Amino acid sequence: MYKLSDLPLFSMLNEEQLAIMQSQLHIHQYDKDSIVFYEGEKNQYLYILLEGVVRLYKTTPKGTQIHMHNFEAPEAIALFVAFENVEFPATCEFLSDGYIGLLPLKLFHECLNNTDFSVSLLKALAQRMKLLATLLHKETIFSSEAKIADVLYTNPSIFERLKNNEIAYMLNMTPETLSRLLSKFKKENILKIDGHIVTILDEDALKYIIETNKMRCS
Amino acid sequence: MYKLSDLPLFSMLNEEQLAIMQSQLHIHQYDKDSIVFYEGEKNQYLYILLEGVVRLYKTTPKGTQIHMHNFEAPEAIALFVAFENVEFPATCEFLSDGYIGLLPLKLFHECLNNTDFSVSLLKALAQRMKLLATLLHKETIFSSEAKIADVLYTNPSIFERLKNNEIAYMLNMTPETLSRLLSKFKKENILKIDGHIVTILDEDALKYIIETNKMRCS
DNA sequence: CCTCTTAATTGATATGAATCAAGAATTACT
DNA sequence: AGTAATTCTTGATTCATATCAATTAAGAGG
């Protein structure tokens, strides 16, 4: 299990401060599939993932989920909620067994006096913002074809590690849609799939799809 | 025209620092409809809106626009891009005549040594993050009906100030869709429209739509 | 007040992706 | 290996919303 000092965010604090923080940290154990917090709840703590992997998602009125992000320990979760007194914009669920450290917000806010701390916090927040902006782009600009082309281009190894089922839900589309579009990509000789190994045959075609949301010829 | 000191963000700096910053600020004049920066460009400056109103939007491959936010002076624009060396995630266009101050990023980064400055910057970033999270929610969770119910509930006066046309584009739907759904709302006695004044008759129905994406009966 | 322009409405059709429903192909389990 | 359980594929249908096209309504300028 990680400690506070393992997070780049807290590494700027001196040992004394760190000791205080660590002593005030409430550590909770979670089983796989358990929920850390629900979308819409209000928070009293900064949530720090000390061990395991969590998934953040939104739930639609129909009950389907919009996958946002996975986080691996060590990582602070829901950072911006710690500043604005707002509801969690997503639900946080463990994908493995793990531990969360709950840091009282009061204590967290006291750390802001430390310039190095607030600067590294700024950096961390900006990174989260980038994540959010990327997600917004994918969900509002990309077609399903473009989403698939994007993972194929940026992270093709995911097809070796996960089931198509799981990939579909990470891309916020149904497995049927993923299956159909992968077949289409195969037919257009953009890629080939042997067993679980995806080989990209035409990288330019992928770039074209990412830019235009459509396949070249048809 | 506003000055740096009018932004809460910069108000924490002492007069000396502020004078240096203000002197290094390149001020540009823009006409209505002119573009401050395009989505995909890289930046060298922090953009500070000193006068006027701007609009941030993304452009889809088809050429349609996804409206993100309007900002009124005085306000810092594209804050998080100033930290991460990334491309602008949106295009910035003036809706009025106005002025932008360009602050060299180097100078901006030097201010981070000032704790009060970095704390108020944190606050500002967190607010932007909230804006982004809200936008993501609207675009991924809300149906068109729910988007309309949401403006009716949170900002009904907008119907007196703007044309339906403009409202539709702020909600990222076509004017036809807005028109059709407003008629549907009228037929269900959720609201009435006299001239340009919208009166909400059934607030609970609006809440229901926001929560479920659907109208109650049918 | 009347034309001209702009905005709003209405209908028909198209589109992308979800949903529903089988079947086929893998993988896992004794 | 043989059966059961999962996962993947394929087809038919539905759904929400955009698009295209035409008409009506409203507002502005002379």
Side-chain angles (χ1 to χ4, degrees):
Chain A
M1 184 163 65
Y2 289 94
K3 292 182 174 180
L4 276 190
S5 52
D6 295 317
L7 284 96
L9 185 57
F10 291 95
S11 61
M12 342 297 288
L13 297 176
N14 63 45
E15 291 197 16
E16 192 191 348
Q17 289 176 299
L18 217 48
I20 295 172
M21 303 279 275
Q22 184 77 41
S23 73
Q24 294 279 314
L25 195 65
H26 306 313
I27 295 178
H28 281 203
Q29 188 272 327
Y30 290 87
D31 293 332
K32 183 172 179 334
D33 297 330
S34 56
I35 302 293
V36 182
F37 52 76
Y38 285 96
E39 183 177 357
E41 284 179 357
K42 287 245 183 157
N43 73 320
Q44 317 275 7
Y45 299 97
L46 178 66
Y47 287 72
I48 298 162
L49 179 59
L50 298 172
E51 190 175 313
V53 183
V54 298
R55 184 167 95 82
L56 285 166
Y57 62 85
K58 286 175 162 289
T59 306
T60 68
K62 270 191 198 169
T64 61
Q65 299 176 352
I66 304 288
H67 171 82
M68 294 181 68
H69 209 72
N70 288 351
F71 287 115
E72 266 179 57
E75 193 78 65
I77 312 282
L79 255 189
F80 94 94
V81 180
F83 288 92
E84 300 283 312
N85 185 30
V86 290
E87 300 173 348
F88 288 115
T91 298
C92 178
E93 179 187 301
F94 262 98
L95 291 178
S96 65
D97 293 350
Y99 289 88
I100 294 267
L102 301 172
L103 189 67
L105 284 186
K106 229 183 221 168
L107 213 62
F108 171 66
H109 286 298
E110 282 167 19
C111 290
L112 296 179
N113 299 325
N114 182 320
T115 304
D116 290 335
F117 181 75
S118 53
V119 168
S120 69
L121 190 52
L122 270 170
K123 196 90 183 113
L125 247 196
Q127 276 167 15
R128 293 312 166 79
M129 194 118 177
K130 186 175 155 188
L131 275 183
L132 245 201
T134 304
L135 178 64
L136 180 75
H137 189 85
K138 288 180 185 171
E139 293 303 312
T140 59
I141 303 294
F142 280 0
S143 66
S144 290
E145 285 186 12
K147 285 184 188 176
I148 296 171
D150 183 61
V151 260
L152 283 167
Y153 189 69
T154 60
N155 189 13
S157 69
I158 200 177
F159 286 88
E160 291 163 37
R161 288 182 286 115
L162 298 179
K163 296 178 245 191
N164 285 5
N165 231 317
E166 295 168 322
I167 295 170
Y169 285 115
M170 290 189 67
L171 298 179
N172 294 319
M173 65 183 67
T174 59
E176 292 96 323
T177 299
L178 178 60
S179 171
R180 281 186 242 272
L181 293 180
L182 281 177
S183 310
K184 204 170 154 196
F185 282 29
K186 265 189 280 184
K187 198 165 20 176
E188 298 286 340
N189 290 310
I190 293 169
L191 49 81
K192 68 173 200 275
I193 304 180
D194 290 321
H196 271 224
I197 292 150
V198 174
T199 315
I200 292 162
L201 302 175
D202 189 349
E203 205 160 73
D204 287 340
L206 289 185
K207 284 189 207 162
Y208 184 86
I209 294 167
I210 294 169
E211 274 170 30
T212 65
N213 268 345
K214 297 262 176 199
M215 288 180 38
R216 197 173 264 115
C217 37
S218 110
Chain B
M1 184 164 65
Y2 289 95
K3 292 183 175 181
L4 276 189
S5 52
D6 296 317
L7 283 96
L9 185 55
F10 290 95
S11 61
M12 343 296 288
L13 298 175
N14 63 46
E15 291 198 14
E16 191 191 349
Q17 289 176 298
L18 217 46
I20 296 173
M21 305 278 274
Q22 184 76 41
S23 73
Q24 294 280 313
L25 196 66
H26 306 313
I27 296 179
H28 280 204
Q29 188 271 327
Y30 290 86
D31 293 331
K32 184 172 180 333
D33 297 330
S34 56
I35 303 293
V36 180
F37 51 75
Y38 285 96
E39 182 176 358
E41 284 179 357
K42 288 244 182 155
N43 73 318
Q44 316 276 7
Y45 300 97
L46 178 66
Y47 288 72
I48 299 161
L49 180 59
L50 298 172
E51 190 175 312
V53 183
V54 297
R55 186 168 96 80
L56 285 166
Y57 62 86
K58 287 174 162 289
T59 307
T60 68
K62 270 192 200 169
T64 60
Q65 300 176 351
I66 305 287
H67 172 83
M68 295 179 69
H69 305 291
N70 288 350
F71 286 117
E72 266 178 58
E75 192 79 64
I77 312 283
L79 255 189
F80 93 94
V81 180
F83 289 93
E84 300 283 314
N85 184 30
V86 290
E87 301 172 349
F88 289 114
T91 298
C92 178
E93 179 186 302
F94 262 97
L95 290 179
S96 64
D97 293 351
Y99 290 89
I100 294 268
L102 300 173
L103 188 68
L105 283 186
K106 228 183 221 169
L107 213 63
F108 172 66
H109 286 299
E110 282 168 19
C111 291
L112 296 178
N113 298 324
N114 182 319
T115 304
D116 289 336
F117 181 75
S118 53
V119 168
S120 69
L121 189 51
L122 270 170
K123 197 84 182 119
L125 247 196
Q127 276 168 13
R128 294 311 166 80
M129 193 117 178
K130 187 175 155 190
L131 275 183
L132 246 200
T134 305
L135 178 63
L136 181 75
H137 189 84
K138 288 180 185 170
E139 292 305 311
T140 60
I141 304 294
F142 279 0
S143 66
S144 291
E145 286 185 12
K147 285 183 188 177
I148 297 171
D150 183 61
V151 259
L152 283 167
Y153 189 68
T154 60
N155 188 14
S157 70
I158 199 177
F159 285 88
E160 292 163 36
R161 287 182 287 116
L162 299 179
K163 296 178 246 192
N164 286 4
N165 231 313
E166 295 168 322
I167 294 169
Y169 285 115
M170 291 191 65
L171 297 179
N172 294 318
M173 65 183 67
T174 58
E176 291 96 323
T177 299
L178 178 60
S179 171
R180 281 186 242 271
L181 293 180
L182 281 178
S183 309
K184 205 171 155 195
F185 282 29
K186 264 188 279 184
K187 197 164 21 177
E188 298 287 339
N189 290 312
I190 293 168
L191 50 82
K192 68 171 200 274
I193 303 180
D194 290 321
H196 271 223
I197 292 149
V198 174
T199 314
I200 292 162
L201 302 174
D202 189 348
E203 204 160 74
D204 288 339
L206 289 184
K207 284 190 209 163
Y208 184 85
I209 294 168
I210 293 170
E211 273 171 30
T212 65
N213 268 345
K214 297 261 177 200
M215 287 181 38
R216 197 173 264 116
C217 36
S218 109

